[in-house]
Amino acid sequence: MSLGDQIAKNLPYLRRYARALTGSQATGDAFVRATLEAALADDQLKSSLEGGRVPLYRAFNKVWSSAYMDVPESEGDTGHEGAAQDRLKSITPLNRQALLLTTLEDFSVEQAGEIMELEAAQIERLVQEAVSEIDRESATNVLIIEDEPLISMQLEDLVTSLGHEVCGTAATRTQAQEVVAQKTPGLVLADIQLADGSSGLDAVDDILAIDSVPVIFITAYPERLLTGDRPEPTYLVTKPFQEQTVRAAISQALFFGSSRPLG
């Protein structure tokens, strides 16, 4: 596989990480572009990328770490993304990076240490600190859109264990509409392929037409959302998932979306 093909294969996941790290698709993509431009201008850095995901993320991390205090505010960032930009300065950047690398991106502690150029024990400490920081956010109401009963139950147990309340579950777009008609959720966990052939994407669009709500997509088909053809979700968890990954995504989503009052 050529270097270009290798980078192209990993690029959607790096963009996902960048969006979760910055809370903004536009800002995350800007950092990804800066990383690729840096690689093109430096033969040694470009050569290192032949090592796969770890060196690619390490290169990105160096660009992010050197510039995170100077993240520009995008003119189009409003609501959820605007809240993210406002809060970036208040959470410890190293903690957030360690948490996302070991959960959302599923790197081992050792790999995350290589990316961040830290010892494994330091990564473990940073992850624990990040969880403590983010879990201080207030509880909210959660809508679960999932057509597989066992997974829906697993997500219900996970959500309630974090101190949140499940305001409803839905296996179809219509059921989701019925739940939202009664109470607007403060967070949505959604699959994209539902029981009656309806789309979780459409169900989420229905909700976002009413209010700006943090959404986490949990799907076996992440490639359907990582095409670049439409605005992509900041929070995307791949099935089969680890509960720790979902917990991290919930904490991150609520952190960036918590400035909006619940409906």
Side-chain angles (χ1 to χ4, degrees):
M1 183 183 296
S2 70
L3 178 58
D5 289 342
Q6 186 170 287
I7 292 176
K9 177 183 177 182
N10 292 320
L11 196 58
Y13 302 100
L14 180 63
R15 294 179 64 225
R16 173 181 66 181
Y17 169 67
R19 287 193 303 277
L21 187 63
T22 64
S24 163
Q25 181 173 326
T27 302
D29 283 350
F31 275 105
V32 171
R33 283 194 299 271
T35 301
L36 298 179
E37 289 168 359
L40 289 174
D42 185 329
D43 289 340
Q44 184 175 359
L45 177 59
K46 180 179 178 180
S47 177
S48 74
L49 299 185
E50 295 178 358
R53 286 183 78 213
V54 169
L56 178 62
Y57 278 67
R58 184 171 62 237
F60 172 88
N61 187 71
K62 289 181 178 179
V63 172
W64 159 256
S65 297
S66 66
Y68 75 84
M69 291 300 291
D70 297 316
V71 175
E73 293 187 7
S74 301
E75 293 182 3
D77 282 354
T78 58
H80 179 60
E81 291 194 357
Q85 295 293 344
D86 291 341
R87 289 170 175 266
L88 276 175
K89 295 180 181 178
S90 67
I91 187 171
T92 311
L94 285 178
N95 292 358
R96 187 165 66 254
Q97 292 174 70
L99 179 67
L100 290 172
L101 287 171
T102 56
T103 54
L104 185 67
E105 298 306 315
D106 203 28
F107 285 109
S108 68
V109 169
E110 290 74 19
Q111 288 173 323
E114 186 176 347
I115 290 168
M116 296 180 65
E117 299 181 344
L118 295 171
E119 296 295 328
Q122 292 176 284
I123 297 296
E124 291 177 342
R125 176 176 55 79
L126 290 172
V127 169
Q128 291 303 316
E129 289 176 358
V131 171
S132 297
E133 283 184 59
I134 298 170
D135 281 349
R136 296 191 189 103
E137 297 302 306
S138 59
T140 191
N141 300 305
V142 182
L143 168 60
I144 298 172
I145 305 174
E146 169 60 62
D147 66 331
E148 297 184 41
L150 291 178
I151 295 180
S152 182
M153 290 174 61
Q154 182 182 6
L155 291 173
E156 283 190 69
D157 290 342
L158 189 156
V159 164
T160 54
S161 74
L162 293 174
H164 306 299
E165 179 181 343
V166 176
C167 65
T169 60
T172 67
R173 179 184 182 183
T174 299
Q175 290 177 3
Q177 291 171 333
E178 292 171 351
V179 173
V180 174
Q182 299 297 319
K183 190 169 190 177
T184 303
L187 173 69
V188 177
L189 307 183
D191 194 358
I192 63 173
Q193 187 167 299
L194 303 181
D196 60 351
S198 60
S199 168
L201 292 171
D202 292 335
V204 167
D205 285 343
D206 294 338
I207 297 168
L208 296 180
I210 300 172
D211 197 4
S212 177
V213 177
V215 177
I216 299 171
F217 284 99
I218 303 175
T219 177
Y221 308 98
E223 66 278 0
R224 296 184 184 180
L225 295 171
L226 298 173
T227 62
D229 295 332
R230 56 173 287 167
E232 298 170 1
T234 300
Y235 306 101
L236 175 60
V237 176
T238 303
K239 291 180 181 178
F241 58 80
Q242 297 181 13
E243 288 197 359
Q244 184 182 10
T245 302
V246 180
R247 288 173 182 268
I250 289 173
S251 294
Q252 287 281 330
L254 290 179
F255 174 81
F256 286 118
S258 60
S259 64
R260 290 190 61 85
L262 298 182

